[in-house]
Amino acid sequence: MSEKKTKRRDFLFTATTAVGAVGAAAVVWPMIDQMNPDASVKALASTEVDVSSLTPGNTLTVLWRGKPVFIRRRTQEEIDEARAVKMEDLIHPEKDEDRAKNPEWLVMLGVCTHLGCVPLNDKGDYNGWFCPCHGSHYDTSGRIRKGPAPWNMEVPKYEFVDANTIKIG
Amino acid sequence: MKNLFKLFSIIILIITSNSNSFAAEKVEYLKTDWSFKGLFGKFDRASLQRGYQVYTEVCASCHSMKYLSYRNLAEPGGPEFSEAQAKAIAASFEVTDGPNSDGEMFTRPGKLSDKFVMPYDNVKAAQAANGGAYPPDMSVLVKARGGGVDYIYSLLQGYEEAPSNVTLDDGVYYNKYMYGNKIRMAAPLSEGLLEYGDGTNATVEQMSKDVTTFLMWSAEPHLEARHQMGFKAIVYLIILTVLVYFSMKRIWSRVESEV
Amino acid sequence: MSDHDYRPKSKVGQWFNDRLPLLTLANHLTDYPTPKNLNYWWTFGGILTFCLITQIVTGLTLAMHYIAHADMAFESVEHIMRDVNYGWLIRYIHANGASMFFLAVYIHIFRSLFYGSYKAPREIIWIIGIIIYLLMMAAAFMGYVLPWGQMSFWGATVITNLFSAIPLVGEGIVTWLWGGYSVDNPTLTRFFTLHYLIPFLILGLVVLHIWALHVPGNNNPVGIDIKKPSKDTVPFHPYIVIKDGFALLMFMIVFAFFVFYAPNILGHADNYIEANPMVTPAHIVPEWYLLPFYAILRSVPDKLLGVVAMLSAILILAVLPWLDTSKIRSAVFRPLYKQFYWILVADVLILGYVGAMPAEGLYLLIARVATAYYFLHFLVILPVLGFKEKTLPVPLSITEPVLGGSPNLAAARNKESKIE
């Protein structure tokens, strides 16, 4: 067998294998992608919440995308406490002004950023939230202050439709 | 090799001819040129949008379409209304939601994620309102009828005076293409029944074609994606088959030369 | 099998292989001496493996979205078809995959019938194959029930009612199968459970099927015993692998055509109507691959005997190695058997055809004649043929078939190449 012939044969086998591998990979993708959120889940509506009955110092918990959302109507004391914290004291520095555009209202996902448990209201060393699973303490702005959680509790997209209605999502 | 081909084609022929013959009585359906047939078949967007208009203004008063959502109207491969149009369509329907914090159900304007609003609350209500006949859900109707689109298209235009030897009860109509010729639905379409937004002349034939196209899409919303992917898949397979064929010849030449 | 003395080259390989001889197994599978004259009818074993894996993978993914509940099954299928990413593709592959699976298995079975692959020493392979085939039918039937359409519901009703033909305990068995007084939610959930289980049973049996095959080695178109390894054989890899791969790709083109361009042609329109216990569809017909047996069932006017006839039609295959008395395997050297073979093929196709037709008039008559012939073939023709038939001389090996250049042999080879 001449050298030229060998090369051509190698090319044919390489091409066949390569084309076959591409096809196999293309077939695998639908089987993986089917586990991603489907069209109906992605289209899931935003939730509108009536907060007229919420008095200062209380928290309303609503379900949005299968997760609890805390809506806290904060007292002036809590706001002052949250705004007085120095940035360098924070594990995940975020200004309270950025987290609560309307200082009276704090809206955030009630999910501990450590491993996803739901923190308890009015608990912990910082008068905010305390996660019973692994002991993360959050302040009155929902920021992580102590414990294993790496980030502050997430603030979702929301807006006031009118004075008494918050639309989450 | 050739035999294998022959066998495949014979079997496929038998299978396909068999399954067609299940629609026992052979009726010649009316034919029209469906844009979605064939290797590259796609829906005619304008026809789908008109079809939706026919559905919502005529059919929807009795027939539900419970597996469709308003968001589908804006999805690619469908009527492709703009997002704003689809939102407006959804908002024009009253959707029952709830219970609210007082435990009461309430109505609100529809959203894109809502399913199509049903004309009746349940099957019994639908039967009661239609003299005992249940207007079937239309979501997959095209696939649920042996003749498919041609059958629906023909049925809509198949209303006739009953022949003298056929007696019809009250609320029963004669239709040339209906199985058994008796149908509980009065002729739903008539010339100029509605005015198309795009100025197309609303003949019975045109409306039948548009609404049938719409029903085909509602039964098979991913038809366009399927055709596109199918073409690519088959071209790919043919290329790979050719490559493997030559590889095989090359490999087998080692033994065949010995024989 | 002389590959037990295989030793991996690397130290790590040896260490591992001494503890779990997977590498020995891999070596056995790649080097496995295969007759070099296997034609394309032999590629369907590989194709069937592909079908099984495809059904299992697509089935697993569908099961992630499907809801086995009488009120939600139909809707969940529509959810798969509309909303799940590539759900329509996966479901159409699964639904048409069942048909492709049966298409391949029928070719595989009829290949075996033609070349006498069921004969000694391969009876166990054959019987395992028949069990796999029975399990396939069970899996296909139960899978067809899952979408909970009209055909699902009424198919389930009709098939489970077959058991009511059993004297005395029949009714009790049917109620037990249903978990109620009709096909309903308990029936659906247990069918789903079993539909999920059976493919893995089949997978296990396939391993046994192949294991049993690797003891005597493949039969071949000439049907003679060959020395292994020898000039008559080639190693499984790469020769058979690439040939199987080529045939598989051709098969996949047909498969793809159905999936992408005619995904519903093999199904029944009625199954897109949600199950309704109050209305039976006008034409109740099983899937095409069960039609021949359905025809046999209907051709017998007695309920119990009909069921017995249908079951016998399948079970008779299990004793086929002993019904066929001929010493010669391949039909290539059995001129009479070859003709009866093709008559049987036609007979089964006819049974399939009349199975799809209404059971009345001429169709019923044809079904009865065809049913009678089916049993005649196995119970009378085959045993007698073994004694009466004058077979052609059989070559001694594949490579050197001509012993003294007998003209008969040349004719035989000619015929053989025609079949390929």
Side-chain angles (χ1 to χ4, degrees):
Chain A
M1 207 183 277
S2 73
E3 200 181 314
K4 216 175 174 183
K5 218 174 168 185
T6 316
K7 265 188 190 155
R8 202 168 57 207
R9 190 192 67 187
D10 287 348
F11 174 74
L12 177 64
F13 291 160
T14 314
T16 309
T17 315
V19 173
V22 168
V27 170
V28 168
W29 174 242
M31 302 300 157
I32 295 170
D33 192 34
Q34 53 89 18
M35 280 168 71
N36 277 320
D38 65 50
S40 63
V41 171
K42 281 189 208 148
L44 255 200
S46 45
T47 304
E48 290 189 1
V49 189
D50 180 4
V51 292
S52 55
S53 57
L54 200 61
T55 51
N58 280 309
T59 304
L60 185 69
T61 307
V62 294
L63 205 63
W64 176 68
R65 285 189 173 173
K67 285 178 185 164
V69 173
F70 293 154
I71 302 174
R72 174 82 172 178
R73 188 164 185 182
R74 298 192 293 187
T75 59
Q76 193 55 45
E77 199 181 316
E78 288 170 343
I79 299 170
D80 295 342
E81 194 183 331
R83 304 221 154 169
V85 178
K86 285 191 218 118
M87 281 298 117
E88 53 265 34
D89 292 343
L90 292 173
I91 296 168
H92 175 196
E94 264 185 325
K95 281 192 182 146
D96 183 63
E97 286 84 344
D98 294 337
R99 291 176 59 80
K101 291 269 154 57
N102 179 346
E104 202 180 348
W105 297 94
L106 178 65
V107 179
M108 62 185 180
L109 286 184
V111 177
C112 180
T113 57
H114 181 220
L115 291 169
C117 298
V118 179
L120 303 169
N121 267 323
D122 301 321
K123 288 264 161 60
D125 299 351
Y126 296 88
N127 302 322
W129 286 266
F130 172 69
C131 180
C133 291
H134 306 93
S136 295
H137 299 257
Y138 295 88
D139 66 13
T140 55
S141 186
R143 292 174 296 198
I144 178 67
R145 301 298 292 276
K146 201 168 97 181
W151 301 297
N152 304 334
M153 281 193 267
E154 190 188 337
V155 177
K157 202 182 127 201
Y158 70 92
E159 61 182 5
F160 277 88
V161 182
D162 56 52
N164 286 327
T165 314
I166 297 178
K167 184 178 159 197
I168 306 166
Chain B
M1 213 46 255
K2 269 182 196 157
N3 269 46
L4 207 62
F5 265 126
K6 244 190 260 167
L7 187 97
F8 264 132
S9 39
I10 288 171
I11 288 174
I12 289 163
L13 214 81
I14 289 170
I15 294 167
T16 47
S17 65
N18 248 357
S19 54
N20 284 342
S21 59
F22 291 142
E25 278 132 275
K26 286 272 176 221
V27 205
E28 273 300 312
Y29 294 126
L30 300 174
K31 294 270 183 267
T32 185
D33 51 325
W34 301 111
S35 64
F36 47 80
K37 297 243 156 132
L39 284 189
F40 304 101
K42 282 184 172 192
F43 290 113
D44 173 353
R45 306 271 167 252
S47 182
L48 278 180
Q49 296 198 357
R50 288 194 300 268
Y52 172 71
Q53 192 186 343
V54 178
Y55 167 72
T56 198
E57 288 183 23
V58 184
C59 322
S61 55
C62 299
H63 291 276
S64 61
M65 235 180 194
K66 58 184 173 185
Y67 300 121
L68 266 77
S69 305
Y70 294 111
R71 67 186 154 84
N72 296 139
L73 294 172
E75 281 168 1
E80 295 188 2
F81 285 108
S82 70
E83 179 117 352
Q85 281 173 314
K87 271 187 179 153
I89 289 171
S92 68
F93 292 92
E94 286 281 296
V95 175
T96 308
D97 200 347
N100 60 16
S101 46
D102 299 327
E104 314 259 320
M105 301 302 279
F106 59 95
T107 59
R108 56 164 175 79
K111 292 186 278 198
L112 284 181
S113 58
D114 286 319
K115 290 261 153 89
F116 274 27
V117 173
M118 302 214 277
Y120 304 105
D121 288 340
N122 51 56
V123 174
K124 290 265 188 255
Q127 284 174 330
N130 290 283
Y134 170 60
D137 183 85
M138 278 185 164
S139 315
V140 279
L141 193 70
V142 166
K143 289 199 283 188
R145 295 292 179 269
V149 279
D150 293 329
Y151 168 76
I152 307 274
Y153 177 69
S154 306
L155 183 99
L156 287 168
Q157 300 173 65
Y159 285 87
E160 277 178 357
E161 280 295 310
S164 51
N165 59 344
V166 178
T167 48
L168 295 172
D169 295 336
D170 252 7
V172 177
Y173 306 87
Y174 186 85
N175 190 304
K176 194 154 66 153
Y177 300 104
M178 179 75 184
Y179 180 72
N181 295 123
K182 291 181 182 174
I183 186 166
R184 303 290 288 263
M185 173 175 75
L189 301 174
S190 57
E191 187 86 27
L193 179 67
L194 49 80
E195 207 165 302
Y196 275 134
D198 62 0
T200 307
N201 195 9
T203 60
V204 171
E205 199 184 338
Q206 184 66 43
M207 287 187 286
S208 303
K209 187 174 176 181
D210 292 340
V211 79
T212 308
T213 304
F214 179 73
L215 290 178
M216 183 67 213
W217 166 74
S218 75
E220 199 64 4
H222 298 292
L223 178 138
E224 289 188 10
R226 173 155 62 75
H227 284 177
Q228 281 164 12
M229 194 189 289
F231 181 73
K232 282 184 213 152
I234 288 173
V235 166
Y236 166 81
L237 283 172
I238 289 172
I239 292 172
L240 186 59
T241 308
V242 170
L243 281 172
V244 168
Y245 176 78
F246 284 112
S247 298
M248 178 177 72
K249 282 285 150 195
R250 195 71 62 89
I251 287 170
W252 275 84
S253 67
R254 298 175 205 162
V255 271
E256 261 152 14
S257 58
E258 277 175 38
V259 179
Chain C
M1 286 185 285
S2 59
D3 45 24
H4 284 280
D5 43 15
Y6 165 80
R7 242 184 119 57
K9 285 198 187 76
S10 75
K11 273 254 164 71
V12 181
Q14 285 174 16
W15 180 88
F16 184 86
N17 205 48
D18 286 344
R19 284 150 184 83
L20 180 67
L22 273 187
L23 293 170
T24 302
L25 177 67
N27 175 261
H28 162 75
L29 291 176
T30 49
D31 285 359
Y32 172 65
T34 317
K36 69 178 177 192
N37 62 336
L38 294 189
N39 56 37
Y40 281 100
W41 300 115
W42 259 267
T43 60
F44 281 87
I47 288 172
L48 282 161
T49 313
F50 164 80
C51 287
L52 179 62
I53 291 167
T54 304
Q55 289 304 85
I56 288 180
V57 171
T58 53
L60 284 175
T61 49
L62 287 173
M64 294 181 189
H65 305 279
Y66 172 75
I67 302 169
H69 187 284
D71 295 338
M72 288 179 273
F74 192 85
E75 190 181 341
S76 74
V77 171
E78 279 307 308
H79 169 67
I80 290 168
M81 292 297 290
R82 288 162 195 277
D83 293 334
V84 173
N85 305 319
Y86 297 104
W88 59 269
L89 175 65
I90 299 170
R91 174 167 176 259
Y92 277 154
I93 290 176
H94 196 71
N96 286 286
S99 281
M100 299 310 290
F101 206 154
F102 274 95
L103 176 62
V105 92
Y106 281 127
I107 295 174
H108 194 62
I109 291 172
F110 274 102
R111 188 270 291 156
S112 186
L113 290 178
F114 187 87
Y115 293 109
S117 303
Y118 50 86
K119 292 190 202 189
R122 298 186 179 81
E123 301 95 320
I124 299 291
I125 312 174
W126 170 257
I127 289 170
I128 292 172
I130 297 297
I131 299 171
I132 292 174
Y133 174 52
L134 278 170
L135 285 174
M136 276 175 66
M137 291 205 271
F141 159 66
M142 293 191 213
Y144 199 59
V145 175
L146 302 185
W148 209 239
Q150 275 287 68
M151 275 296 167
S152 302
F153 183 88
W154 292 101
T157 302
V158 168
I159 300 292
T160 47
N161 263 316
L162 290 179
F163 291 89
S164 71
I166 303 168
L168 300 174
V169 292
E171 292 293 335
I173 289 177
V174 173
T175 309
W176 174 75
L177 283 174
W178 288 339
Y181 301 104
S182 66
V183 173
D184 207 339
N185 197 49
T187 328
L188 177 59
T189 49
R190 66 190 58 180
F191 277 18
F192 179 57
T193 310
L194 295 173
H195 182 72
Y196 206 120
L197 168 71
I198 290 174
F200 297 99
L201 297 181
I202 293 178
L203 191 62
L205 284 168
V206 166
V207 171
L208 295 184
H209 194 64
I210 295 172
W211 187 0
L213 169 72
H214 280 227
V215 176
N218 288 71
N219 183 28
N220 64 77
V222 184
I224 53 169
D225 292 323
I226 51 170
K227 269 213 219 131
K228 292 161 299 200
S230 71
K231 273 194 151 182
D232 286 349
T233 66
V234 289
F236 189 77
H237 180 77
Y239 295 96
I240 303 300
V241 168
I242 190 99
K243 194 166 174 176
D244 278 2
F246 173 65
L248 174 62
L249 282 163
M250 305 263 289
F251 183 80
M252 283 167 81
I253 291 172
V254 179
F255 197 160
F257 170 78
F258 278 113
V259 168
F260 292 108
Y261 291 106
N264 292 308
I265 201 161
L266 299 169
H268 300 294
D270 282 299
N271 224 27
Y272 279 104
I273 303 172
E274 196 168 357
N276 180 356
M278 314 267 273
V279 187
T280 308
H283 301 279
I284 281 244
V285 195
E287 292 289 84
W288 68 267
Y289 39 79
L290 303 176
L291 287 173
F293 301 105
Y294 191 60
I296 291 175
L297 170 77
R298 294 193 307 182
S299 68
V300 182
D302 181 80
K303 185 172 174 179
L304 176 61
L305 291 180
V307 177
V308 169
M310 184 178 72
L311 286 176
S312 316
I314 304 166
L315 294 179
I316 203 170
L317 293 172
V319 290
L320 176 62
W322 297 276
L323 289 174
D324 184 352
T325 51
S326 175
K327 294 265 183 299
I328 306 296
R329 290 199 192 98
S330 176
V332 172
F333 306 101
R334 299 182 62 189
L336 272 177
Y337 171 71
K338 197 193 271 178
Q339 290 175 22
F340 283 113
Y341 170 85
W342 288 113
I343 295 174
L344 179 73
V345 172
D347 187 61
V348 172
L349 289 176
I350 289 168
L351 278 171
Y353 179 75
V354 293
M357 294 295 131
E360 57 198 23
L362 188 61
Y363 292 129
L364 190 58
L365 182 69
I366 295 173
R368 284 182 177 159
V369 172
T371 300
Y373 182 80
Y374 181 90
F375 287 104
L376 192 74
H377 175 92
F378 290 107
L379 293 175
V380 180
I381 295 173
L382 276 188
V384 172
L385 214 54
F387 298 112
K388 300 277 176 200
E389 187 176 27
K390 257 194 85 138
T391 55
L392 303 173
V394 175
L396 291 177
S397 87
I398 296 168
T399 325
E400 297 146 64
V402 188
L403 196 70
S406 141
N408 263 342
L409 278 173
R413 288 211 92 200
N414 241 338
K415 277 181 188 163
E416 189 211 325
S417 62
K418 255 195 218 158
I419 289 155
E420 271 184 74

